[in-house]
Amino acid sequence: MFFTVVYGLVGTMFRPDRLGADGCLTANAFGWKCLPPLASIMFVISVSCLFLTGMTFFLDRWRLPTLSVLVIALAFSRFQADVDHTFPLVSAAVDGTQTLSQEDDREASDEAASPARVAQRVIGAGPERRLIVVAASGGGITSASWTARVLTGLEAAYGTRFTDRLAAISGVSGGSVGTMFYLAAPLRSHNRAQLRSAIVAAAERTGLRNVAWGFAYPDLHRLLRSPFSGSEQYFDARIDRAWALEEAWRSTLRTQARPINGLLAASADATLGSWQERIGKGEIPVPIFNAMTVEDGQQLLLTPGQIHPVPMPPGASYPGYATLDDLYPGRDLSVVTAARLSASFPYVSPMARPAMVRPGELPFHVTDGGFFDNDGAVALQAWLEAALPPDTQPTQVLFVQIRWGQWSPSLASAGSGTNQGSGIKPLPQTDPRGIKGIGFSLFGPMEALLAARSSTQNVRNKRAMQLLAERLARRQVTVSTVEFDLVDPPNAPLPLSWLLGWRDKLALACRWSSDDVQTQVASVGAFIGADANAAAAARTAARSAIPPPADADRCRAIYPR
């Protein structure tokens, strides 16, 4: 009974919509401010122990094994209670209907945010026909921070010469979260320079406390209630760990912007439809949040800029995709929810379906876009094909890839396992490519599956880019590529989670200040026409725009040369 009181009190106090941007209380009578994720995990373990020991005590009367009863109950739970995870869709109409003028306004917004119209506006922004598109890969909060750091750094280096040429950003998982924070305020906002550091800080802010609370409270309650028919009426199906993570991002947008006139706060409750209007006004480029539908493995592009048609014309290399309007016409989606669906990292954020659908519509579950394409390059290839018609005049396209790590095959050296005389020298037991233990027999298939996922996506994307460049060349379009690769420190890999420590943030700043990355910054400057002196000044500005580490020796300790 004492544990139940404490458990309920803590869960009520630290409900995410009552917390600050860092997942902590501002003040309370008990002096507690933050609920560590480990505390939430301990609550899960404690509740599980009490529940299972209680089951064991009562089932022992009939000599029933607890594990068997638990497995049977969970197997039949899908027929008893609806504990599925959902996300809300909002109607694009007013009270379910639209006047003729509202319909005309929507069609005008669709047209203004179309790939062809956006490309025309960007290409016409200067005397030379050039545009920039960005692909931001997945990888949790590390990719979110790296995406925000690269985009704000390029903006600091080249200002409107970069942002005026920026046509579209395709984000996956953490890259979608970084894209959301970067575009939260219009690129020509007042005090945009002060916003850059706020954007990076927002992308680096943890949401792990909120996710852990979601596991310990609403999602644990779902599990315990799942075998009981009708139990769904006693809890709010909208509240889960995904909702808790979204609340962390919304709170960050609201509080991080307060010192800067609330410029980021407007996007906390924005929808894709409202961003469509900003695209039409030229305030932001087209964001594409990559996701995937679980039931059929189809790529789902959550974007304000419509990319049509879904059936690709004859000769196009892209196999097809779906947009929100294809699956659920006339519905809109919160920008924060769209980013979260794209970043549904397995088990951290659940696969969810729409809360309500119309007759004839299928309630697809949506999951992380990294399952389909972790680079975000495939969606940009489709966008470019739609944006540049066959009669395009000579145009230059810069394809910027922001990635955490770069896949490359680890080829065995020719000297390992060399012949000596008539015999063959066996591989040593310590060689990582040599003899494996029994654990490899158990987990080797999963290791091979994960390795194949990375390699096949990389090879496919590179080949698709080659084919796209060849096809666009026939339209007088030249495609070049710049890659901003985040490399793990050799002794401490960056985390694949939603929590960055101070050393991780330092490593990101060190990598941004490195000569390798600043060389790529100069390549972007060369594309937009910056001369040598301007490019050198831009590199200096880029290094200072996002404060580099104060002690260069610490950088050398993290990234030894």
Side-chain angles (χ1 to χ4, degrees), residues 21-23 139-153 174-182 195-209 245 248-249 251-253 255-256 264 486 494-495 497-513 545-549 558-559:
D22 56 356
I141 196 172
T142 298
S143 290
S145 176
W146 184 238
T147 298
R149 199 170 276 273
V150 171
L151 291 173
T152 52
S176 291
V177 179
T179 299
M180 174 191 68
F181 284 120
Y182 177 68
L195 273 175
R196 293 175 195 136
S197 59
I199 290 169
V200 175
E204 290 181 341
R205 184 160 284 173
T206 180
L208 199 57
R209 294 188 185 97
L245 182 59
W249 294 341
S251 182
T252 297
L253 286 168
T255 58
Q256 191 68 24
L264 296 177
L486 175 61
L494 294 166
S497 69
W498 289 106
L499 175 63
L500 284 178
W502 68 268
R503 192 180 185 281
D504 303 318
K505 297 177 183 179
L506 181 63
L508 287 163
C510 290
R511 179 60 182 169
W512 172 254
S513 301
I546 302 171
I558 294 176
Y559 286 103

Side-chain angles (χ1 to χ4, degrees), residues 8-21 23-27 210 213 243 247 251:
L9 178 64
V10 172
T12 303
M13 289 175 57
F14 289 95
R15 185 181 161 108
D17 53 359
R18 299 172 182 170
L19 305 178
C24 298
L25 293 167
T26 54
N210 289 34
W213 178 92
W243 169 86
E247 283 299 309
S251 182

